[in-house]
Amino acid sequence: MNDGRESPAGQLFALIGEHQVTIREALDDEQYTELLARLEALAGVAPDDDRAVRRALHGVRLTLLKSPLPHGHPVLTALDAVRLVAAPPGPTAVAGARELMAALASPSPAPDTEGVAAGAQDELLRAPALSADEARARCGGAAPPPELIKLADPGGDRYPEFQFAAGGGTPYEVVLEVNRLLLADIDPRGAAAWWLSGNTWLGGTPASLLGRLPDQQLVGAATALVEGD
């Protein structure tokens, strides 16, 4: 790596390169392809677009935190230093991702990262959702709060319905709290995937457990993911 190696993101990418064999062994094909897709997305971001860099780096971090890497793996340990609430990651994050992608390149055909990403997005968009107008109505006619997951769709923005109380209710307060932890305004797809995917700690998909588990248990699961516990 270049002189950006000493930054938290640079150190993370260096460790991914050093431990690529154990990472590949721990992740199944879909998980590894998702990681490559996230790294490729970061490598393609304009280095001076701070918000886009943060969003893409958060995607890489979230993918690794969800991965089955063993506790204490050097890459998981390095994730603790990559905090998006601190100093901006800067251009070194993009440069590091580009160098890492080049190091991971092989003569074999590249995985269909675009296809996997598109498939995951299609699955999220198939989940019950409200239109922008319907979400506004659920919020008393006001603009939906930025903490709500908003998925872009050619037919108009969609707000996953699980975020709102049944029977035409308003947004769950715990959803807003968890979404802030998951940086849903930066990575809405990643946050939606957490809510709609199985969670072994909670014993089901978090969205299906709203109102059935104490709010703080959901917050705790999200906090553990974000903090890498």
Side-chain angles (χ1 to χ4, degrees):
M1 295 286 174
N2 57 24
D3 55 6
R5 183 188 179 112
E6 296 308 315
S7 70
Q11 292 173 2
L12 172 63
F13 296 138
L15 285 169
I16 293 173
E18 291 171 14
H19 296 275
Q20 58 181 289
V21 173
T22 59
I23 292 173
R24 186 64 188 93
E25 290 174 347
L27 277 59
D28 62 27
D29 289 345
E30 183 175 349
Q31 292 165 335
Y32 189 67
T33 299
E34 179 184 354
L35 175 59
L36 292 181
R38 295 289 195 176
L39 288 167
E40 185 176 10
L42 177 56
V45 168
D48 58 350
D49 188 340
D50 182 57
R51 181 173 176 80
V53 174
R54 284 177 179 270
R55 181 169 56 244
L57 183 57
H58 177 65
V60 174
R61 186 172 185 275
L62 190 61
T63 299
L64 288 168
L65 286 171
K66 294 187 301 180
S67 74
L69 289 173
H71 181 72
H73 191 285
V75 167
L76 293 183
T77 302
L79 289 176
D80 288 339
V82 183
R83 297 296 186 188
L84 301 184
V85 295
T92 57
V94 177
R98 291 173 179 173
E99 290 185 24
L100 177 59
M101 289 300 294
L104 295 178
S106 66
S108 57
D112 181 15
T113 54
E114 291 186 4
V116 170
Q121 183 174 20
D122 288 345
E123 184 176 352
L124 292 178
L125 291 176
R126 283 195 295 269
L130 305 179
S131 68
D133 288 342
E134 290 170 331
R136 181 183 291 272
R138 293 285 196 101
C139 295
E147 293 90 346
L148 284 178
I149 296 167
K150 178 176 68 174
L151 301 175
D153 182 63
D157 290 335
R158 295 168 59 85
Y159 291 81
E161 191 173 16
F162 71 80
Q163 300 178 105
F164 301 83
T170 57
Y172 287 104
E173 287 298 326
V174 66
V175 168
L176 300 180
E177 183 175 356
V178 168
N179 284 351
R180 281 191 289 270
L181 287 170
L182 299 178
L183 300 182
D185 61 324
I186 294 176
D187 184 17
R189 284 181 52 207
W194 183 85
W195 280 106
L196 297 171
S197 300
N199 188 296
T200 53
W201 185 14
L202 295 174
T205 60
S208 70
L209 299 173
L210 283 165
R212 297 169 54 195
L213 287 182
D215 288 353
Q216 285 309 305
Q217 196 166 341
L218 293 167
V219 173
T223 301
L225 171 66
V226 172
E227 296 184 350
D229 293 339

